[in-house]
Amino acid sequence: MTPVPSYLAHTYWWAYVHPNAVRLFERQWLVNLILWGNFARLRDAALDALGRRLNGRTLQIACVYGDLTGRLRARLTPGGSLDVVDVLRVQLDNLARKLLGDPRVGLIHGDSAALDLPDASYDRALLFFLLHEQPAEVRRRTIAEALRVVKPGGRLVIVDYHRPHRLNPLYGPMALVLRLLEPFALDLWRRELASWLPQEGLAVRKRTLFGGLYQIVTIDLPQGAKR
Ligand SMILES: C[S@@+](CC[C@H](N)C(=O)[O-])C[C@H]1O[C@@H](n2cnc3c(N)ncnc32)[C@H](O)[C@@H]1O
């Protein structure tokens, strides 16, 4: 039995937990609007960072509204597989409806901060707009867990908010929206994502998009990585 984390129940019930939330937000145009028209660009940047053709085992940590997971599945090679883990059954049920049953995709009920998955069991993992929703300590554990389950030589891709350039016209509006609705998100404006990693010396590459409002961070684990 995996409990619903308190930050989800208190801060994000309206976006993910309540069944009406799923009915409302499972519209790609709406998610795109929330991302200022950048959904497809961010989705495709995440997919391209994972790879054009995905062999082996891929892990998506947390469901995402819209067609990200469907497009991820479309990149699987014939022997490839995808697991998606989420802490809310309502989200996994919604994803199951979108995917219409596919033996290559496993849906796992679990918490990103304590994955019930073996060490070094995936070739790559994706965190798409999850970390900004989490309190600092949960975020730190989520990143550590994602790195734990990726194999040596594998890759973790993270897409999330980032502090925009001061001259970005969205700087003020976004700061206000995040302060009002997403109380943990401004952490990602204050600190580099790399500062949340459990160890130093990992190969981290960061690219920002849309005047710095979003970031895509790629972490390549060394072959034979020590954990
Ligand atoms: C990936 S985030 C946000 C994605 C993006 N805003 C979108 O358009 O959907 C939302 C998902 O994260 C899940 N989630 C939040 N905290 C989690 C946790 N600790 N473990 C697993 N899933 C979690 C929520 O249940 C929800 O399905």
Side-chain angles (χ1 to χ4, degrees), residues 45-162:
L47 294 174
D48 290 346
L50 288 169
R52 293 192 75 73
R53 303 285 293 145
L54 302 175
N55 57 6
R57 304 187 72 208
T58 302
L59 179 65
Q60 179 188 324
I61 303 174
C63 295
V64 175
Y65 292 130
D67 66 359
L68 172 99
T69 309
R71 299 231 179 193
L72 191 47
R73 174 179 59 175
R75 293 192 180 208
L76 297 177
T77 58
S81 67
L82 169 66
D83 285 340
V84 184
V85 60
D86 201 286
V87 77
L88 293 178
R89 288 209 186 272
V90 68
Q91 290 291 333
L92 292 168
D93 292 347
N94 180 51
L95 181 58
R97 279 192 295 277
K98 289 196 283 183
L99 297 177
L100 300 171
D102 184 330
R104 296 172 305 165
V105 185
L107 302 183
I108 301 170
H109 184 224
D111 191 326
S112 64
L115 293 173
D116 189 13
L117 299 168
D119 293 357
S121 49
Y122 289 90
D123 295 280
R124 61 197 72 79
L126 172 64
L127 286 163
F128 191 85
F129 284 97
L130 174 63
L131 297 178
H132 75 275
E133 295 180 348
Q134 300 187 317
E137 193 41 44
V138 181
R139 178 184 310 127
R140 186 189 307 283
R141 279 189 274 135
T142 291
I143 296 174
E145 283 291 85
L147 290 170
R148 178 182 68 76
V149 302
V150 172
K151 295 175 186 173
R155 173 173 288 185
L156 172 63
V157 173
I158 303 173
V159 179
D160 220 308
Y161 289 116
H162 179 269

